């Protein structure tokens, strides 16, 4: 099942890139493996997937020893400061930096273990009360503050668009994210790389790619419906 699903997702990514006049290599697929057993993750690994996204730090900690060393774990869910210890030496990137307090604690932990943690700033582009993230109008100021901290390097932006049955309804949010991404990129802020734009999930990743996503996070489309 996973092999066939990955083939279908790959085809959809390639077609979306073609429609947008982009090269396939411009888009990185992160397989969202939250709540999925190691056996399923290993199956995806054997099909060539190396990047996996987890919502819970404990899952990264638990699954980390069971996969080969070249597996890349992305922390994509909300990160509490008391859980940083689980991911600081295991995650390749934190997609969900959403407060200065978290940035400071992440900085402290990274410096302590002698690494620089790549991070994405989570932006609540749709301004949903139920979602985490920096408001778009506050993003630049927040980034300027976070960029002063040691041990972290800002690599770009991430957003979670509203859940919808109609992917097209999220196009405006993705377009606004790309505009914000480019605006901040043009500021040339020190310690801000702005090379990654993480947006789009199983239901809307094709629209996100058409609007400029460089990373898409696909779970259900690869592993099937979530089992809690």
């Amino acid at each position: 099942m996973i092999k066939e699903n990955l083939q279908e997702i790959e085809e959809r990514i390639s077609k979306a890139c073609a429609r947008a006049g982009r090269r396939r290599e411009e888009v990185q697929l992160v397989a969202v493996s939250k709540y999925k057993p190691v056996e399923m993750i290993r199956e995806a690994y054997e099909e060539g997937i190396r990047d996996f996204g987890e919502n819970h730090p404990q899952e990264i900690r638990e699954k980390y020893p069971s996969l080969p060393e070249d597996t890349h774990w992305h922390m994509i869910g909300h990160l509490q400061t008391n859980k940083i210890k689980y991911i600081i030496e295991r995650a390749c990137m934190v997609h969900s930096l959403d407060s200065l307090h978290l940035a400071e604690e992440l900085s402290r932990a990274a410096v302590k273990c002698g690494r620089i943690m790549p991070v994405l700033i989570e932006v609540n582009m749709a301004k949903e009360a139920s979602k985490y993230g920096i408001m778009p109008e506050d993003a630049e100021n927040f980034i300027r503050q976070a960029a002063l901290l040691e041990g972290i390097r800002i690599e770009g932006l991430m957003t979670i668009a509203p859940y919808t049955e109609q992917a097209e309804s999220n196009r405006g949010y993705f377009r606004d994210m790309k505009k914000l991404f480019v605006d901040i990129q043009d500021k040339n802020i020190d310690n801000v790389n702005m090379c990654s734009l993480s947006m789009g999930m199983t239901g809307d990743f094709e629209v996100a790619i058409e609007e400029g996503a460089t990373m898409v996070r696909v779970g259900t489309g690869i592993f099937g419906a979530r089992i809690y």
Side-chain angles (χ1 to χ4, degrees):
M1 177 194 79
I2 288 173
K3 180 177 182 176
E4 290 75 15
N5 288 350
L6 278 168
Q7 288 172 344
E8 183 188 337
I9 295 296
E10 180 57 42
E11 189 177 333
R12 289 168 62 188
I13 290 173
S14 296
K15 286 180 176 177
C17 286
R19 287 195 298 273
R22 303 176 64 192
R23 291 178 296 111
R24 168 63 186 90
E25 306 82 67
E26 293 177 38
V27 179
Q28 181 179 6
L29 171 62
V30 177
V32 179
S33 49
K34 60 181 178 180
Y35 303 121
K36 297 300 177 184
V38 165
E39 293 73 30
M40 292 183 81
I41 299 171
R42 199 175 285 122
E43 196 177 332
Y45 178 93
E46 287 166 2
E47 293 302 323
I49 298 298
R50 293 293 179 270
D51 293 272
F52 295 92
E54 290 286 345
N55 273 47
H56 303 289
Q58 299 95 314
E59 285 205 66
I60 292 180
R61 180 187 61 175
E62 289 161 12
K63 294 171 180 176
Y64 184 87
S66 302
L67 273 291
E69 284 186 7
D70 64 342
T71 306
H72 306 136
W73 297 97
H74 297 250
M75 179 62 211
I76 62 174
H78 178 64
L79 179 60
Q80 295 173 298
T81 55
N82 64 340
K83 304 289 173 58
I84 289 173
K85 59 184 180 240
Y86 298 148
I87 60 98
I88 194 62
E89 295 186 81
R90 298 180 177 96
C92 70
M93 176 178 276
V94 173
H95 287 231
S96 50
L97 188 61
D98 61 358
S99 76
L100 203 55
H101 177 55
L102 175 60
E104 288 165 349
E105 292 300 315
L106 201 54
S107 164
R108 193 171 292 120
V111 169
K112 189 174 179 181
C113 71
R115 73 167 297 190
I116 294 174
M117 175 65 81
V119 300
L120 303 181
I121 308 304
E122 182 172 358
V123 179
N124 189 347
M125 186 54 74
K127 300 187 176 182
E128 293 182 279
S130 61
K131 296 251 175 79
Y132 294 102
I134 306 297
M135 289 297 141
E137 61 270 21
D138 299 327
E140 183 187 336
N141 185 50
F142 175 77
I143 286 168
R144 288 187 182 278
Q145 293 179 74
L148 299 173
L149 298 168
E150 292 182 89
I152 62 174
R153 185 178 64 246
I154 298 170
E155 294 284 341
L157 306 178
M158 181 273 260
T159 197
I160 301 172
Y163 175 77
T164 176
E165 298 286 331
Q166 303 296 324
E168 196 61 38
S169 65
N170 280 335
R171 187 178 294 276
Y173 298 124
F174 294 143
R175 190 170 290 158
D176 289 345
M177 272 295 288
K178 179 61 186 290
K179 183 177 184 302
L180 179 63
F181 178 80
V182 172
D183 286 348
I184 293 170
Q185 205 172 41
D186 290 345
K187 308 283 184 185
N188 291 316
I189 304 167
D190 286 346
N191 196 34
V192 176
N193 207 4
M194 277 294 142
C195 60
S196 296
L197 181 55
S198 175
M199 60 185 191
M201 300 193 288
T202 295
D204 56 17
F205 70 84
E206 289 147 302
V207 175
I209 289 170
E210 290 167 7
E211 294 302 331
T214 68
M215 256 184 209
V216 292
R217 311 177 304 273
V218 180
T220 305
I222 295 170
F223 296 107
R226 210 171 294 150
I227 300 169
Y228 295 92

